[in-house]
Amino acid sequence: MLPLLPLSLRSWYTALYLLLFFATLVQYFITSGSSPGYVLDAMRAVNETNVMYKKSSTASKQPASSKNGSLIVTIEGSQTGRNFQGSNPASWTKLVMDMYPPGTSIRAFSCFYCNVEQPPRAKHCHDCDKCVLQFDHHCVWLGTCIGQGNHCKFWWYICEETALCLWTGILYITYLKANISRAWWKDAIMILLLIAMAISIIFLLLLLLFHSYLVLTNQTTYELVRRRRIPYLRGIPERVYPFSQGVCSNLYDFCCVCSIYHLESLPSAQELEEKSRPYTCLDVLTCRCC
C-alpha cells in the first residue's frame, strides 16, 4: 500500500500512524496512573464537606455548597442527595444506608478490610487492598483497578489499542504481499507475527464490544459475572438492568459527568417493575429506551 502512494501522502500516512502510536502510549500511562475512585476518598470528601458545612452554618445562615475545592460528591436516586446539600447533612453511614432498601443491615455492606460502609456497586479489591466505587475489574496489564474514576479512560485506551493493532496488521499484510518471495525465513517470522497480531485484534475487538455493551446498559464486569452472588442483585431478573437510565443517559453519564464521586442508589420496587416491562412500539416512539 505504501509504495503505491505518492511521497507526500506516504509521509502523512506514517505521521498519522506514529501519532496514533504515541496517543495510545500516552493513554496507557494516563489510565494506569488514574484513580478508579476509592471509597475511602469519597468518605473523606463527605466528612470534609460536613466540616465545611458546620463551619459555614455557624458563621452564617446560608447553606453550604457540596463543593470543596476539587472534591465533588453527587448522589442519585433518593432523597439523600437533597438532605446532604440541605440543612442537615448526613454522616457517611447514613448516606450509604439510605441508598439501600429500608431495614438493611449495616454489617451486610461493611468492608472488613477497609472498615467502611460500601455504597451500592462498590467492592473491595484485594490486589489494591482498597474498596473501589463501581468496581469493574483489576487490570493486571495496567496495574490498577478499573472503576468509576477511570472506566471511561480505559474504554478509550482499548479503542485506541484496537485501532493501532488493526492498522499494524494492515501494514504486515502489505509487507508480505510486496516481499513474499525474497527470503523464506523472513516470511515465516512475519506470518507468525501476523498470527499473533490476529489473535490480539480478535481479543481487543471482543473486549471493546463487551465494554461498549456495559457502558450502554450501565453495568460493570463484576456485576455481570457475579450477579447471582451480589446480595442486592439476586432477586432482579437477568434481562433487567437496575442502574440503566436509557442508552443516551448512560452514555452522557459515562462520558460527560465530571463528578469525582458519583453515588447511585438502588432502584425502588416500582422502578424495577417499570424497567422489567417489555418494550412496545409506543415505547420506541417515545424514546423510552433512551
Side-chain angles (χ1 to χ4, degrees):
M1 183 182 296
L2 283 180
L4 300 177
L5 294 175
L7 184 60
S8 58
L9 291 179
R10 215 180 306 169
S11 301
W12 277 105
Y13 191 89
T14 305
L16 288 175
Y17 179 83
L18 291 176
L19 181 63
L20 178 60
F21 174 80
F22 284 113
T24 305
L25 191 63
V26 169
Q27 189 67 32
Y28 170 84
F29 287 111
I30 289 175
T31 307
S32 62
S34 60
S35 170
Y38 296 115
V39 173
L40 284 172
D41 293 337
M43 184 177 66
R44 192 177 300 113
V46 170
N47 292 336
E48 289 181 2
T49 308
N50 284 339
V51 172
M52 182 188 67
Y53 177 87
K54 291 177 181 178
K55 289 181 179 179
S56 61
S57 61
T58 304
S60 66
K61 298 296 181 179
Q62 296 179 353
S65 170
S66 64
K67 184 174 181 180
N68 181 16
S70 61
L71 298 174
I72 305 173
V73 181
T74 59
I75 302 95
E76 282 191 357
S78 70
Q79 298 293 327
T80 309
R82 284 190 283 274
N83 291 337
F84 178 65
Q85 297 175 2
S87 58
N88 185 22
S91 65
W92 174 255
T93 301
K94 186 178 186 305
L95 187 70
V96 170
M97 297 315 298
D98 282 349
M99 297 179 185
Y100 292 100
T104 303
S105 171
I106 295 179
R107 280 192 173 186
F109 300 103
S110 296
C111 178
F112 298 103
Y113 302 97
C114 298
N115 196 26
V116 296
E117 287 77 29
Q118 294 178 337
R121 314 191 74 183
K123 182 187 177 297
H124 184 86
C125 175
H126 294 281
D127 295 291
C128 298
D129 199 25
K130 289 182 180 179
C131 291
V132 178
L133 295 169
Q134 291 187 22
F135 175 84
D136 189 89
H137 70 285
H138 184 88
C139 183
V140 294
W141 305 109
L142 294 170
T144 186
C145 275
I146 304 301
Q148 183 188 90
N150 59 0
H151 197 180
C152 183
K153 297 181 182 70
F154 176 75
W155 187 92
W156 280 110
Y157 167 67
I158 58 176
C159 183
E160 293 172 10
E161 185 74 20
T162 303
L164 182 64
C165 285
L166 281 171
W167 201 338
T168 306
I170 293 172
L171 292 177
Y172 276 160
I173 294 173
T174 304
Y175 177 86
L176 282 175
K177 285 183 177 180
N179 304 275
I180 192 64
S181 59
R182 293 191 177 180
W184 67 268
W185 60 273
K186 288 184 179 180
D187 293 340
I189 292 175
M190 293 301 297
I191 289 172
L192 290 175
L193 290 175
L194 187 60
I195 293 173
M197 183 63 64
I199 295 173
S200 301
I201 289 172
I202 293 172
F203 172 76
L204 287 170
L205 277 173
L206 291 176
L207 185 64
L208 181 62
L209 291 173
F210 175 70
H211 277 275
S212 299
Y213 165 73
L214 294 179
V215 171
L216 293 176
T217 55
N218 196 7
Q219 297 184 90
T220 64
T221 302
Y222 174 70
E223 290 172 345
L224 186 65
V225 175
R226 300 296 182 93
R227 183 159 181 156
R228 294 184 180 180
R229 296 183 60 182
I230 301 175
Y232 55 81
L233 294 179
R234 285 175 186 167
I236 301 176
E238 293 288 336
R239 61 185 179 86
V240 177
Y241 313 119
F243 299 103
S244 176
Q245 302 299 324
V247 174
C248 296
S249 298
N250 293 338
L251 279 174
Y252 176 80
D253 290 342
F254 184 77
C255 301
C256 303
V257 172
C258 299
S259 300
I260 298 177
Y261 307 115
H262 186 72
L263 308 182
E264 293 179 274
S265 300
L266 288 175
S268 63
Q270 183 179 358
E271 291 172 333
L272 288 175
E273 184 178 354
E274 178 67 21
K275 291 176 186 292
S276 62
R277 183 169 57 87
Y279 286 101
T280 63
C281 295
L282 182 61
D283 293 330
V284 174
L285 292 175
T286 55
C287 298
R288 177 192 162 201
C289 58
C290 297

